[in-house]
Amino acid sequence: MTVALRRTALCLAAFALVATGCTTKPADSASGGAPKDDASTGGSSGPVTLKDGSQVKLALIPGGAHPYFQPWKTTADTDKTEFKLGGVTFNETGEWDQGKQNNVINSLAAQGYNAFGIFGVSPTDINSTFEDLKAKGFAVGSLASCPAGDTNEADFCLSTDVEAAAYKAAKATIEAIGGEGTIVHLTGNNVDSNTQRRIAGVKKAVAETNGKVTELPVITDIDKDLSTAQKAVADLLASKGKDIKGIVTTAYNPAVAAADGVASSKLPIKVVAIDDDAKILSGIKSGGVAATVTQNPVGQAYVGGWLLALLQSKQCTMKTPGVIVDSGSFVVTKTNVDTYDDERKAKTKALQGEFEKQLSCQ
């Protein structure tokens, strides 16, 4: 099952925040018409501060178990401590089945959870789930993936622009192979709209080479688990390995499998991965992996939790419900493998500034 991620758009790094766009309370007559710079509503020194999160119970709910979402679990605890929430939970028991995920969501709602950050299993069906939760008065964020189509019934979507991330990965692959040769793209569930966007991103980069780089047929449906990806990579290398100069992977398990498979085969194939699995980072440092494109799951859970708490506490509302914001993607090579997380932390801080422009706050 693929993870993440859709089009456009804890980390307290020492980076200046984007100027706040949150509407504050009306000014009193003594202030000469200027809005109050109340710390509880944000100001030039930082993001909107949650006044009272004690009644907010936050649930972060992936579609199922997957390594990508593990940072959500630890970040949920950070959200609880930093925002003084009434409770948090991380539940990955949906088993990549929309019906089962809906049962999980309904069960948590019955237990008093009232703010939901959800990676929907089915992009085509998740809007109905969002509508049901909104009708009950709950704050809802679509995290790491947005609904298919042009409508998002959640309060917001904070997700990777997956087409842009795949384009970056393909450009890195093309650079690694010297700008010419044959590459192959390994990815996830073919029927997932996010997978189709990733495919489009890779094809765009290939098309820009004007025929210098050619692409073999895309290999899809291999992110279910690591063993599935390993078999697909082994079959690919056995049949086409000598013809391939580069492999671009836009799903987690294929990335790990490709890095291991190429290393074992000793073929001179450049691998560009997705995300920052320890094996991938080790491969970049040793030279076995040319690059990877990391995403921002910590930022999704941290900023998503902050925003959901502001909405569910009724301190803020969205000016434009359903707004979509890119959570960021970052190319990692040998030159920045030890420092790339600084860029990701800076993006997480900047995301709060982006969302403040979308808020009206008391």
Side-chain angles (χ1 to χ4, degrees):
M1 174 60 60
T2 59
V3 182
L5 316 165
R6 184 157 183 195
R7 59 184 173 82
T8 307
L10 292 110
C11 310
L12 294 178
F15 292 87
L17 231 166
V18 179
T20 179
C22 182
T23 304
T24 58
K25 290 182 178 180
D28 59 38
S29 58
S31 66
K36 294 179 179 178
D37 188 9
D38 185 343
S40 65
T41 56
S44 61
S45 60
V48 174
T49 301
L50 180 66
K51 295 177 182 178
D52 181 8
S54 62
Q55 301 304 308
V56 177
K57 293 186 70 175
L58 171 68
L60 298 181
I61 307 172
H66 193 285
Y68 178 87
F69 295 112
Q70 290 310 299
W72 283 21
K73 185 175 183 178
T74 53
T75 308
D77 293 332
T78 300
D79 288 345
K80 181 179 181 181
T81 301
E82 188 162 326
F83 306 132
K84 297 180 175 60
L85 304 182
V88 298
T89 190
F90 169 81
N91 191 305
E92 57 184 351
T93 62
E95 299 182 10
W96 300 109
D97 179 286
Q98 190 60 64
K100 292 180 180 178
Q101 187 185 44
N102 287 344
N103 290 338
V104 169
I105 292 168
N106 292 334
S107 175
L108 290 173
Q111 295 172 45
Y113 287 91
N114 53 17
F116 294 85
I118 300 170
F119 177 94
V121 174
S122 172
T124 57
D125 300 320
I126 193 61
N127 265 331
S128 62
T129 302
F130 294 158
E131 286 180 306
D132 289 343
L133 290 169
K134 293 295 296 176
K136 295 173 182 176
F138 300 144
V140 183
S142 187
L143 299 182
S145 179
C146 300
D150 297 324
T151 302
N152 172 32
E153 296 294 347
D155 290 300
F156 63 90
C157 180
L158 179 59
S159 172
T160 311
D161 182 336
V162 293
E163 184 171 336
Y167 175 79
K168 292 177 184 178
K171 292 287 282 187
T173 307
I174 291 166
E175 181 178 351
I177 66 172
E180 58 183 5
T182 298
I183 68 170
V184 61
H185 178 197
L186 312 183
T187 190
N189 191 344
N190 189 50
V191 300
D192 187 340
S193 58
N194 283 331
T195 298
Q196 293 304 312
R197 294 186 187 97
R198 294 185 180 100
I199 291 172
V202 172
K203 289 187 180 301
K204 177 184 176 182
V206 171
E208 289 175 353
T209 69
N210 296 314
K212 291 181 179 179
V213 174
T214 57
E215 183 185 1
L216 294 177
V218 182
I219 300 177
T220 63
D221 300 308
I222 59 171
D223 194 33
K224 179 181 179 182
D225 50 47
L226 185 56
S227 61
T228 299
Q230 287 171 330
K231 183 180 185 305
V233 169
D235 291 345
L236 171 69
L237 295 179
S239 62
K240 300 286 187 180
K242 293 181 179 179
D243 302 322
I244 299 169
K245 290 189 69 176
I247 296 176
V248 54
T249 60
T250 60
Y252 191 99
N253 287 306
V256 175
D260 285 344
V262 169
S264 298
S265 71
K266 302 190 185 305
L267 289 167
I269 298 173
K270 301 295 185 181
V271 176
V272 172
I274 191 81
D275 293 322
D276 47 2
D277 179 87
K279 285 187 177 180
I280 297 301
L281 297 181
S282 177
I284 290 175
K285 291 177 180 179
S286 68
V289 176
T292 192
V293 176
T294 66
Q295 300 176 79
N296 194 8
V298 169
Q300 291 163 358
Y302 180 76
V303 177
W306 164 77
L307 187 55
L308 286 166
L310 287 171
L311 297 175
Q312 185 57 31
S313 69
K314 312 305 180 187
Q315 181 178 334
C316 300
T317 59
M318 300 297 301
K319 293 178 181 177
T320 306
V323 66
I324 294 169
V325 174
D326 179 13
S327 53
S329 55
F330 316 90
V331 178
V332 180
T333 64
K334 203 167 187 176
T335 59
N336 69 337
V337 66
D338 292 323
T339 60
Y340 75 92
D341 202 44
D342 292 340
E343 182 183 359
R344 187 159 57 179
K345 289 176 181 178
K347 176 63 175 178
T348 295
K349 291 295 293 181
L351 285 170
Q352 290 181 292
E354 288 187 55
F355 273 117
E356 284 181 322
K357 298 171 185 177
Q358 302 290 338
L359 294 174
S360 292
C361 299
Q362 298 180 3

Coordinates of all heavy atoms in Angstrom, one line a residue, residues 175-214:
E175 N 20.3 12.7 -13.2 CA 21.7 13.3 -12.9 C 22.7 12.3 -12.5 O 23.8 12.3 -13.0 CB 21.5 14.4 -11.8 CG 22.8 15.1 -11.5 CD 22.7 16.1 -10.4 OE1 21.6 16.4 -10.0 OE2 23.7 16.6 -9.9
A176 N 22.2 11.3 -11.7 CA 23.1 10.2 -11.3 C 23.7 9.4 -12.4 O 24.8 8.9 -12.3 CB 22.4 9.4 -10.2
I177 N 22.9 9.2 -13.4 CA 23.3 8.3 -14.6 C 24.0 9.1 -15.7 O 24.2 8.6 -16.7 CB 22.1 7.5 -15.1 CG1 21.1 8.4 -15.8 CG2 21.5 6.6 -14.0 CD1 20.0 7.6 -16.5
G178 N 24.2 10.4 -15.4 CA 24.9 11.2 -16.4 C 24.0 11.7 -17.5 O 24.5 12.1 -18.6
G179 N 22.7 11.7 -17.3 CA 21.8 12.4 -18.3 C 21.4 11.5 -19.5 O 20.7 12.0 -20.4
E180 N 21.8 10.2 -19.5 CA 21.3 9.4 -20.6 C 21.3 7.9 -20.2 O 22.1 7.5 -19.3 CB 22.2 9.6 -21.9 CG 23.6 9.3 -21.7 CD 24.4 9.6 -22.9 OE1 23.8 10.1 -23.9 OE2 25.6 9.3 -23.0
G181 N 20.5 7.2 -20.8 CA 20.4 5.7 -20.5 C 18.9 5.3 -20.1 O 18.0 6.1 -20.3
T182 N 18.8 4.1 -19.7 CA 17.5 3.6 -19.4 C 17.2 3.5 -17.9 O 18.1 3.1 -17.1 CB 17.3 2.1 -20.0 OG1 17.5 2.2 -21.4 CG2 16.0 1.5 -19.6
I183 N 16.1 4.0 -17.4 CA 15.7 3.9 -16.0 C 14.4 3.1 -15.9 O 13.7 2.9 -16.9 CB 15.6 5.3 -15.4 CG1 14.4 6.0 -15.9 CG2 16.8 6.1 -15.6 CD1 14.0 7.3 -15.2
V184 N 14.1 2.7 -14.7 CA 12.8 2.1 -14.4 C 12.3 2.6 -13.1 O 13.0 2.9 -12.2 CB 13.0 0.5 -14.3 CG1 13.9 0.1 -13.2 CG2 11.6 -0.2 -14.1
H185 N 11.0 2.7 -13.0 CA 10.3 3.3 -11.9 C 9.5 2.2 -11.1 O 8.7 1.5 -11.7 CB 9.3 4.4 -12.4 CG 8.5 5.1 -11.3 ND1 7.3 5.7 -11.7 CD2 8.6 5.1 -10.0 CE1 6.8 6.2 -10.5 NE2 7.5 5.9 -9.5
L186 N 9.8 2.1 -9.8 CA 9.2 1.2 -8.9 C 8.3 1.9 -8.0 O 8.7 2.9 -7.3 CB 10.2 0.3 -8.1 CG 11.4 -0.3 -8.9 CD1 12.2 -1.1 -8.0 CD2 10.9 -1.1 -10.1
T187 N 7.0 1.5 -7.9 CA 6.1 2.3 -7.0 C 5.0 1.4 -6.4 O 5.1 0.2 -6.4 CB 5.5 3.4 -7.8 OG1 4.8 4.3 -7.0 CG2 4.6 3.0 -9.0
G188 N 3.9 2.0 -5.9 CA 2.9 1.3 -5.2 C 1.7 0.9 -5.9 O 1.7 0.6 -7.1
N189 N 0.5 1.0 -5.3 CA -0.7 0.5 -5.8 C -1.2 1.3 -7.0 O -1.4 2.5 -7.0 CB -1.8 0.7 -4.6 CG -3.1 0.0 -5.0 OD1 -3.3 -0.4 -6.1 ND2 -3.9 -0.2 -3.9
N190 N -1.3 0.6 -8.1 CA -1.6 1.2 -9.4 C -2.9 2.0 -9.4 O -3.0 3.0 -10.1 CB -1.6 0.2 -10.5 CG -1.7 0.8 -11.9 OD1 -0.9 1.7 -12.2 ND2 -2.6 0.3 -12.7
V191 N -3.9 1.5 -8.6 CA -5.2 2.2 -8.7 C -5.3 3.4 -7.7 O -6.3 4.2 -7.8 CB -6.4 1.2 -8.3 CG1 -6.4 0.0 -9.3 CG2 -6.2 0.7 -6.8
D192 N -4.2 3.6 -7.0 CA -4.2 4.8 -6.1 C -3.9 6.0 -6.9 O -3.0 6.1 -7.7 CB -3.1 4.5 -5.0 CG -3.1 5.6 -3.9 OD1 -3.6 6.7 -4.2 OD2 -2.5 5.4 -2.9
S193 N -4.7 7.1 -6.7 CA -4.5 8.3 -7.4 C -3.2 8.9 -7.2 O -2.6 9.5 -8.1 CB -5.6 9.3 -7.1 OG -5.6 9.6 -5.7
N194 N -2.6 8.7 -6.0 CA -1.3 9.2 -5.7 C -0.2 8.5 -6.5 O 0.7 9.1 -7.0 CB -1.0 9.0 -4.2 CG -1.7 10.0 -3.3 OD1 -1.9 11.2 -3.7 ND2 -2.0 9.7 -2.1
T195 N -0.4 7.2 -6.7 CA 0.6 6.5 -7.6 C 0.6 7.1 -9.0 O 1.6 7.2 -9.6 CB 0.2 5.0 -7.6 OG1 0.3 4.5 -6.3 CG2 1.1 4.2 -8.6
Q196 N -0.6 7.4 -9.5 CA -0.7 7.9 -10.9 C 0.0 9.3 -10.9 O 0.6 9.6 -11.9 CB -2.2 8.0 -11.3 CG -2.8 6.7 -11.5 CD -2.1 5.8 -12.4 OE1 -1.7 6.2 -13.5 NE2 -1.9 4.5 -12.1
R197 N -0.1 10.1 -9.9 CA 0.6 11.3 -9.8 C 2.1 11.1 -9.8 O 2.9 11.9 -10.4 CB 0.2 12.2 -8.6 CG -1.3 12.6 -8.7 CD -1.7 13.5 -7.5 NE -3.1 13.8 -7.5 CZ -4.0 13.1 -6.8 NH1 -3.6 12.2 -6.0 NH2 -5.3 13.4 -6.9
R198 N 2.6 10.1 -9.1 CA 4.0 9.8 -9.0 C 4.5 9.4 -10.4 O 5.6 9.8 -10.9 CB 4.3 8.7 -8.0 CG 4.0 9.1 -6.6 CD 4.4 8.0 -5.6 NE 4.1 8.4 -4.2 CZ 3.1 8.0 -3.5 NH1 2.2 7.2 -4.1 NH2 2.9 8.5 -2.3
I199 N 3.7 8.6 -11.1 CA 4.1 8.1 -12.4 C 4.2 9.3 -13.4 O 5.1 9.5 -14.2 CB 3.0 7.1 -13.0 CG1 3.1 5.8 -12.2 CG2 3.2 6.9 -14.5 CD1 2.1 4.8 -12.5
A200 N 3.2 10.3 -13.2 CA 3.3 11.5 -14.1 C 4.5 12.3 -13.8 O 5.1 12.9 -14.7 CB 2.0 12.3 -13.8
G201 N 4.9 12.4 -12.5 CA 6.1 13.2 -12.1 C 7.4 12.6 -12.7 O 8.2 13.4 -13.3
V202 N 7.5 11.3 -12.7 CA 8.7 10.7 -13.3 C 8.7 10.8 -14.8 O 9.7 11.2 -15.4 CB 8.7 9.2 -12.9 CG1 9.8 8.5 -13.7 CG2 8.9 9.0 -11.4
K203 N 7.5 10.6 -15.4 CA 7.5 10.8 -16.9 C 7.8 12.2 -17.3 O 8.4 12.4 -18.4 CB 6.1 10.4 -17.4 CG 5.8 8.9 -17.3 CD 4.5 8.5 -18.0 CE 4.3 7.0 -17.9 NZ 5.4 6.2 -18.5
K204 N 7.4 13.2 -16.5 CA 7.7 14.6 -16.9 C 9.2 14.8 -16.9 O 9.7 15.4 -17.9 CB 7.0 15.5 -15.9 CG 7.4 17.0 -16.1 CD 6.8 17.8 -15.0 CE 7.2 19.3 -15.1 NZ 6.7 20.1 -14.0
A205 N 9.9 14.3 -15.9 CA 11.3 14.4 -15.9 C 12.0 13.7 -17.1 O 13.0 14.2 -17.7 CB 11.9 13.9 -14.6
V206 N 11.5 12.5 -17.4 CA 12.1 11.8 -18.5 C 11.9 12.5 -19.8 O 12.8 12.6 -20.7 CB 11.5 10.4 -18.6 CG1 11.9 9.7 -19.9 CG2 11.9 9.6 -17.4
A207 N 10.7 13.1 -20.0 CA 10.3 13.8 -21.2 C 11.2 15.0 -21.4 O 11.6 15.4 -22.6 CB 8.9 14.2 -21.2
E208 N 11.7 15.6 -20.4 CA 12.5 16.8 -20.5 C 13.9 16.5 -21.0 O 14.7 17.4 -21.4 CB 12.7 17.5 -19.1 CG 11.4 18.1 -18.6 CD 11.5 18.7 -17.2 OE1 12.5 18.4 -16.5 OE2 10.5 19.4 -16.8
T209 N 14.3 15.2 -21.1 CA 15.6 14.8 -21.6 C 15.6 14.7 -23.1 O 16.6 14.4 -23.8 CB 16.1 13.5 -21.0 OG1 15.3 12.4 -21.5 CG2 16.0 13.5 -19.5
N210 N 14.4 14.8 -23.7 CA 14.3 14.8 -25.2 C 14.9 13.5 -25.8 O 15.5 13.5 -26.8 CB 14.9 16.0 -25.9 CG 14.3 17.3 -25.5 OD1 13.0 17.4 -25.5 ND2 15.0 18.3 -25.1
G211 N 14.6 12.4 -25.1 CA 14.9 11.1 -25.7 C 16.3 10.5 -25.2 O 16.6 9.4 -25.4
K212 N 17.0 11.4 -24.5 CA 18.3 10.9 -24.0 C 18.1 9.8 -22.9 O 19.0 8.9 -22.7 CB 19.2 12.0 -23.4 CG 19.7 13.0 -24.5 CD 20.5 14.1 -23.9 CE 21.0 15.0 -25.0 NZ 21.9 16.1 -24.3
V213 N 17.0 9.9 -22.2 CA 16.7 8.9 -21.1 C 15.4 8.2 -21.5 O 14.4 8.9 -21.9 CB 16.5 9.6 -19.7 CG1 16.0 8.5 -18.7 CG2 17.9 10.2 -19.3
T214 N 15.4 6.9 -21.5 CA 14.2 6.2 -21.8 C 13.8 5.4 -20.5 O 14.6 5.2 -19.6 CB 14.4 5.1 -22.9 OG1 15.5 4.3 -22.5 CG2 14.7 5.8 -24.2

